[in-house]
Amino acid sequence: MDQARSTISKIFNGEPHSYTRFNLTQNMEGDNSQVEMKLSSDVDEEVGGNGVGDHLNHNSNRKPYVAQKFGRTPKNLCFMAAAIFLIFLIGYLIGYLVHRKKDLSPSCSASALPFANPPPHETGAAPLMDWDKVKELLAQKLNANKFEAAFMEFNSENHQAGSPGDEDLANKVLTKFKEYGMNPWTDEHFVRVQDPPASGTNKITFKGTNFRPSGFLSYSPSGRVTGAVVYANFGEESDLDFLEDKNFNLTGKVVLVRAGKISFAEKVANAAKRKAAAVLICPGTTDDSIGDNIELFGHVHMGSGDPYTPGFPSFNHTQFPPVQSSGLPTIPAQTITKGMASNILQLSGHEIPAQWKVFGSLGDEKDVITVEVNNTLTEKRINNIFGVIKGFVDADRYVVIGAKRDARGPGFAASTVGTSVLVELARSISDMVKNDGFKPRRSIVFASWSGGEYGSIGATEWLEGYLSSLNLKRDTFSELVFEPLKLDSAAYPFLAFSGIPSISFRLTSNDLDYQYFGTELDKWDKLNLITGAKVPHLTQVAAQFAGHIALRLVHDHLLRMDLAKYDKFIRAKVVQINVKVKNVQRVSALTMQWLFSASGSYSRASRSLAADIENSDLEDIEMCRILNDRIMTVERNFLSPYVSPRDSPFRHILLGFGPHTLGGLSDHLQALRSNNNNNSNADVELFRNQFALATWTLQGCANSLAGDIWSLDNEI
């Protein structure tokens, strides 16, 4: 009868969706955040040997019904009695047939099937393919020769966003997706970006010598400023702190920094906070791999997407109120060549620290320089290209794999390799579905973004346009790079702006930056030289890694995120804030009880969820749906609801940046500790407000994670 009741319930209520199981671990140890995927070698490790929803019956054609009120007449009572008897009779017959079928079916050992005792209902999808078989098939499809051919097809000397070269590559990707039967489509945006001066040049003047670089930094304010030049290594906060400890007052100075460590935008923002007048950026390498005349290109928007439509998609000349991103810089910035930097810093002044030993000195008050920036604001039409491999069970739940397509100059490592990986993965997985019997439970969307060189514009504008749909679909995004997420990663806005679990990976060598990014030297031969002529082989390895992540996400049943990592990170931040509060006299009376309580609530909620997962029957489809919903709301609920996308686009209180984050609270306390009333970043009342809002954001996330309203922790 239990089986009968279950069947009847399914007839009237329909079948809920099933979900994927994967381990998505946020590595919060230290300040650098990294998302790790734990991919076990055996499916049974993921689901404990139980097939959750392997053969679920999803009936999407069930029609709605309208309840009617019946009178208590003898005729109606007889009708109701007959209906009840009929239901019980159907239930009994179904139960009997199911039991009989089970008795007559041949016995199978657990080792003979991916899962022991699979549910009897079929979905039309093939039985779950063994994970080792999935990996084997992918390895057979991907090979170095295929990637070499892809490099030749997608390599281009100039495919800047919105250019004919970019359009040509977009059409090639679109054609490939059509060949693979992926029902491709395009996504068009009209965005505003900065390019070099249409007439004339940007100019640097130092001691009577004019330098006219052809490189530039998009989104730099135009203008002409003059000030003493100061060398500040990579322009990190610690570098600027070192200078101020040496009694360098950076107010009104032109700060010269090297490329590397952090994004160009962060370098400029750091200098602006110290009231510098302008920033010059030169190549960061200390060897001769980059010549004296190689130009740098980049952008200095402390954000992503079109900065003139913050929080809004740039669809078809969409008109919004005249606003702009708060992440646009307030001081001019310009790139210069290594030769220009050497000429400027071969001067007298304070001796450079040993660890900064690249140029002759730090500079001096008499070393005056003039920076003139005349960039031009232009509008460009860009296209994102998409293709999809639809899932066989939960087609409306999907994983997105994306790679940027555009680059200024050759951009071989910056874009060609990524586009090749994207297209080859699309070909391989499509072939697995068509010819090898692989049937993904969820859909895989392949995305070729444009506008990446200007700050992940294509990816961000698409995200802004479909944010509500993406959140509803529990989308998971993976971009083709490998390192702790940084501001200039296309995966970053998915996580910090929209609260969608995201990863980012790339191959590196000894944690060193690839010195040719953003230059005209980013070519096939340079990457081949650095890798020992192993570019096709290493690309194959990268593609297999990306493929394993994507396929595991669409292969398994129940989503699993290690929320204990966030718990550890939150407690570390709370302890850090507590120590600083005690040491800042101006806020020493502030009680930490609220923040401690919110942190404890999250800790208890995460442990409770882990216990619920451990103690739940994972064959209970409704329970799996509830658990997955609780898990997937965590990232989104870490987004502060108290700040606007215009002012603080990256609203994640743990992984974003801005005064609303836990890191921002710590920085504000540091500013208050300096006891400098002239510091605009030090405001006691503002800190108290930020403290309260961050606390309640954390508590709200804990409440959502706890699940049912009667499970909420209301200690605050």
Side-chain angles (χ1 to χ4, degrees), residues 170-187 384-390 426 445-448:
N171 288 331
K172 287 182 178 180
V173 173
L174 186 68
T175 299
K176 290 292 184 183
F177 287 173
K178 286 180 179 178
E179 288 177 9
Y180 307 151
M182 295 172 61
N183 301 315
W185 71 97
T186 63
D187 184 53
N384 298 322
I385 308 298
F386 300 92
V388 63
I389 297 174
K390 292 184 179 179
V445 175
F446 295 83
S448 175

Short mmCIF file of all heavy atoms in Angstrom, two decimals, residues 170-187 384-390 426 445-448:
data_model
loop_
_atom_site.label_atom_id
_atom_site.label_comp_id
_atom_site.label_asym_id
_atom_site.label_seq_id
_atom_site.Cartn_x
_atom_site.Cartn_y
_atom_site.Cartn_z
N ALA A 170 33.38 34.92 -34.49
CA ALA A 170 32.04 34.59 -33.98
C ALA A 170 31.29 33.71 -34.97
O ALA A 170 30.64 32.72 -34.59
CB ALA A 170 31.25 35.88 -33.71
N ASN A 171 31.39 34.03 -36.25
CA ASN A 171 30.72 33.23 -37.28
C ASN A 171 31.31 31.83 -37.38
O ASN A 171 30.58 30.86 -37.63
CB ASN A 171 30.81 33.94 -38.63
CG ASN A 171 29.92 35.17 -38.71
OD1 ASN A 171 28.88 35.23 -38.05
ND2 ASN A 171 30.34 36.16 -39.49
N LYS A 172 32.63 31.71 -37.17
CA LYS A 172 33.25 30.39 -37.19
C LYS A 172 32.74 29.53 -36.04
O LYS A 172 32.44 28.34 -36.22
CB LYS A 172 34.77 30.53 -37.11
CG LYS A 172 35.42 31.04 -38.38
CD LYS A 172 36.95 31.10 -38.22
CE LYS A 172 37.60 31.57 -39.51
NZ LYS A 172 39.09 31.64 -39.39
N VAL A 173 32.64 30.13 -34.85
CA VAL A 173 32.13 29.38 -33.70
C VAL A 173 30.67 29.00 -33.93
O VAL A 173 30.25 27.86 -33.65
CB VAL A 173 32.27 30.22 -32.41
CG1 VAL A 173 31.59 29.53 -31.24
CG2 VAL A 173 33.74 30.47 -32.10
N LEU A 174 29.88 29.94 -34.45
CA LEU A 174 28.47 29.67 -34.73
C LEU A 174 28.32 28.51 -35.71
O LEU A 174 27.48 27.62 -35.53
CB LEU A 174 27.82 30.93 -35.29
CG LEU A 174 26.31 30.90 -35.52
CD1 LEU A 174 25.57 30.82 -34.20
CD2 LEU A 174 25.86 32.14 -36.30
N THR A 175 29.16 28.50 -36.75
CA THR A 175 29.12 27.42 -37.74
C THR A 175 29.44 26.07 -37.11
O THR A 175 28.79 25.06 -37.40
CB THR A 175 30.10 27.73 -38.89
OG1 THR A 175 29.72 28.95 -39.53
CG2 THR A 175 30.11 26.60 -39.91
N LYS A 176 30.44 26.04 -36.24
CA LYS A 176 30.80 24.80 -35.56
C LYS A 176 29.65 24.28 -34.71
O LYS A 176 29.33 23.08 -34.74
CB LYS A 176 32.03 25.03 -34.68
CG LYS A 176 33.32 25.25 -35.45
CD LYS A 176 33.75 23.98 -36.17
CE LYS A 176 35.09 24.16 -36.87
NZ LYS A 176 35.48 22.96 -37.64
N PHE A 177 29.02 25.18 -33.95
CA PHE A 177 27.91 24.76 -33.11
C PHE A 177 26.75 24.21 -33.95
O PHE A 177 26.06 23.27 -33.54
CB PHE A 177 27.42 25.93 -32.25
CG PHE A 177 28.35 26.29 -31.11
CD1 PHE A 177 28.12 27.42 -30.33
CD2 PHE A 177 29.46 25.51 -30.81
CE1 PHE A 177 28.96 27.76 -29.29
CE2 PHE A 177 30.32 25.84 -29.77
CZ PHE A 177 30.06 26.97 -29.00
N LYS A 178 26.53 24.79 -35.14
CA LYS A 178 25.50 24.27 -36.04
C LYS A 178 25.87 22.87 -36.52
O LYS A 178 25.02 21.98 -36.59
CB LYS A 178 25.33 25.21 -37.23
CG LYS A 178 24.61 26.51 -36.91
CD LYS A 178 24.49 27.39 -38.16
CE LYS A 178 23.75 28.68 -37.86
NZ LYS A 178 23.67 29.58 -39.05
N GLU A 179 27.14 22.67 -36.87
CA GLU A 179 27.60 21.36 -37.33
C GLU A 179 27.36 20.29 -36.27
O GLU A 179 27.07 19.14 -36.59
CB GLU A 179 29.08 21.42 -37.68
CG GLU A 179 29.41 22.18 -38.94
CD GLU A 179 30.92 22.26 -39.18
OE1 GLU A 179 31.66 21.55 -38.45
OE2 GLU A 179 31.35 22.98 -40.09
N TYR A 180 27.50 20.68 -35.01
CA TYR A 180 27.35 19.72 -33.91
C TYR A 180 25.89 19.54 -33.49
O TYR A 180 25.61 18.83 -32.53
CB TYR A 180 28.18 20.16 -32.71
CG TYR A 180 29.63 20.44 -33.02
CD1 TYR A 180 30.35 21.38 -32.27
CD2 TYR A 180 30.30 19.79 -34.05
CE1 TYR A 180 31.68 21.66 -32.56
CE2 TYR A 180 31.62 20.05 -34.34
CZ TYR A 180 32.31 21.00 -33.59
OH TYR A 180 33.63 21.27 -33.87
N GLY A 181 24.96 20.21 -34.18
CA GLY A 181 23.54 20.07 -33.86
C GLY A 181 23.16 20.67 -32.53
O GLY A 181 22.30 20.14 -31.81
N MET A 182 23.75 21.82 -32.19
CA MET A 182 23.57 22.41 -30.86
C MET A 182 22.58 23.57 -30.84
O MET A 182 22.52 24.30 -29.84
CB MET A 182 24.93 22.87 -30.33
CG MET A 182 25.91 21.74 -30.10
SD MET A 182 27.57 22.33 -29.70
CE MET A 182 27.27 23.24 -28.19
N ASN A 183 21.79 23.76 -31.90
CA ASN A 183 20.78 24.83 -31.93
C ASN A 183 21.34 26.17 -31.45
O ASN A 183 20.84 26.76 -30.49
CB ASN A 183 19.57 24.45 -31.07
CG ASN A 183 18.91 23.17 -31.53
OD1 ASN A 183 18.70 22.96 -32.72
ND2 ASN A 183 18.59 22.29 -30.60
N PRO A 184 22.38 26.69 -32.09
CA PRO A 184 23.05 27.89 -31.58
C PRO A 184 22.21 29.15 -31.74
O PRO A 184 21.30 29.21 -32.57
CB PRO A 184 24.33 27.97 -32.42
CG PRO A 184 23.96 27.28 -33.70
CD PRO A 184 23.02 26.18 -33.33
N TRP A 185 22.54 30.13 -30.93
CA TRP A 185 21.91 31.45 -31.03
C TRP A 185 22.93 32.51 -30.65
O TRP A 185 24.00 32.21 -30.12
CB TRP A 185 20.67 31.53 -30.15
CG TRP A 185 20.92 31.57 -28.68
CD1 TRP A 185 20.98 32.66 -27.87
CD2 TRP A 185 21.15 30.44 -27.81
NE1 TRP A 185 21.22 32.31 -26.56
CE2 TRP A 185 21.33 30.94 -26.50
CE3 TRP A 185 21.23 29.06 -28.01
CZ2 TRP A 185 21.57 30.12 -25.40
CZ3 TRP A 185 21.47 28.25 -26.91
CH2 TRP A 185 21.64 28.77 -25.64
N THR A 186 22.60 33.76 -30.96
CA THR A 186 23.50 34.87 -30.65
C THR A 186 22.83 35.84 -29.69
O THR A 186 21.60 35.88 -29.57
CB THR A 186 23.92 35.63 -31.92
OG1 THR A 186 22.75 36.21 -32.52
CG2 THR A 186 24.58 34.70 -32.92
N ASP A 187 23.65 36.63 -29.03
CA ASP A 187 23.19 37.60 -28.03
C ASP A 187 23.91 38.91 -28.34
O ASP A 187 25.12 39.01 -28.17
CB ASP A 187 23.56 37.07 -26.64
CG ASP A 187 23.05 37.95 -25.54
OD1 ASP A 187 21.85 38.25 -25.52
OD2 ASP A 187 23.87 38.34 -24.68
N ASN A 384 27.70 37.66 -28.37
CA ASN A 384 28.03 36.41 -27.70
C ASN A 384 27.39 35.27 -28.49
O ASN A 384 26.29 35.42 -29.02
CB ASN A 384 27.48 36.39 -26.28
CG ASN A 384 28.07 37.48 -25.41
OD1 ASN A 384 29.24 37.79 -25.51
ND2 ASN A 384 27.25 38.07 -24.55
N ILE A 385 28.08 34.14 -28.59
CA ILE A 385 27.58 32.99 -29.33
C ILE A 385 27.33 31.84 -28.36
O ILE A 385 28.19 31.54 -27.52
CB ILE A 385 28.59 32.54 -30.41
CG1 ILE A 385 29.01 33.73 -31.29
CG2 ILE A 385 28.00 31.40 -31.25
CD1 ILE A 385 27.88 34.37 -32.06
N PHE A 386 26.18 31.19 -28.49
CA PHE A 386 25.81 30.12 -27.58
C PHE A 386 25.39 28.87 -28.36
O PHE A 386 24.82 28.95 -29.45
CB PHE A 386 24.64 30.53 -26.69
CG PHE A 386 24.91 31.73 -25.83
CD1 PHE A 386 24.60 33.00 -26.28
CD2 PHE A 386 25.48 31.60 -24.58
CE1 PHE A 386 24.85 34.11 -25.51
CE2 PHE A 386 25.74 32.70 -23.80
CZ PHE A 386 25.42 33.96 -24.26
N GLY A 387 25.67 27.72 -27.76
CA GLY A 387 25.15 26.45 -28.24
C GLY A 387 24.78 25.62 -27.03
O GLY A 387 25.30 25.84 -25.93
N VAL A 388 23.87 24.66 -27.20
CA VAL A 388 23.40 23.89 -26.04
C VAL A 388 23.32 22.41 -26.37
O VAL A 388 22.94 22.02 -27.48
CB VAL A 388 22.03 24.41 -25.55
CG1 VAL A 388 20.96 24.24 -26.62
CG2 VAL A 388 21.60 23.71 -24.26
N ILE A 389 23.71 21.59 -25.41
CA ILE A 389 23.44 20.16 -25.42
C ILE A 389 22.39 19.95 -24.34
O ILE A 389 22.67 20.12 -23.15
CB ILE A 389 24.70 19.34 -25.13
CG1 ILE A 389 25.75 19.56 -26.22
CG2 ILE A 389 24.36 17.86 -25.01
CD1 ILE A 389 27.07 18.91 -25.93
N LYS A 390 21.18 19.61 -24.75
CA LYS A 390 20.07 19.57 -23.80
C LYS A 390 20.12 18.31 -22.94
O LYS A 390 20.46 17.22 -23.41
CB LYS A 390 18.74 19.65 -24.54
CG LYS A 390 18.51 21.00 -25.20
CD LYS A 390 17.14 21.08 -25.86
CE LYS A 390 16.93 22.46 -26.48
NZ LYS A 390 15.61 22.58 -27.15
N ALA A 426 32.73 21.12 -27.06
CA ALA A 426 31.39 21.04 -27.66
C ALA A 426 31.32 19.88 -28.65
O ALA A 426 30.35 19.11 -28.66
CB ALA A 426 31.05 22.36 -28.33
N VAL A 445 25.45 24.52 -21.59
CA VAL A 445 25.46 25.68 -22.48
C VAL A 445 26.92 26.09 -22.73
O VAL A 445 27.68 26.27 -21.77
CB VAL A 445 24.67 26.86 -21.89
CG1 VAL A 445 24.81 28.10 -22.77
CG2 VAL A 445 23.20 26.48 -21.72
N PHE A 446 27.29 26.21 -24.00
CA PHE A 446 28.63 26.64 -24.38
C PHE A 446 28.55 28.09 -24.82
O PHE A 446 27.73 28.43 -25.69
CB PHE A 446 29.18 25.76 -25.50
CG PHE A 446 29.39 24.33 -25.09
CD1 PHE A 446 28.34 23.43 -25.10
CD2 PHE A 446 30.64 23.90 -24.67
CE1 PHE A 446 28.52 22.11 -24.71
CE2 PHE A 446 30.84 22.57 -24.29
CZ PHE A 446 29.77 21.68 -24.29
N ALA A 447 29.38 28.95 -24.23
CA ALA A 447 29.29 30.39 -24.48
C ALA A 447 30.63 30.95 -24.95
O ALA A 447 31.66 30.72 -24.31
CB ALA A 447 28.84 31.13 -23.22
N SER A 448 30.59 31.66 -26.07
CA SER A 448 31.77 32.37 -26.57
C SER A 448 31.52 33.86 -26.36
O SER A 448 30.71 34.48 -27.03
CB SER A 448 31.97 32.07 -28.06
OG SER A 448 33.02 32.84 -28.60
#
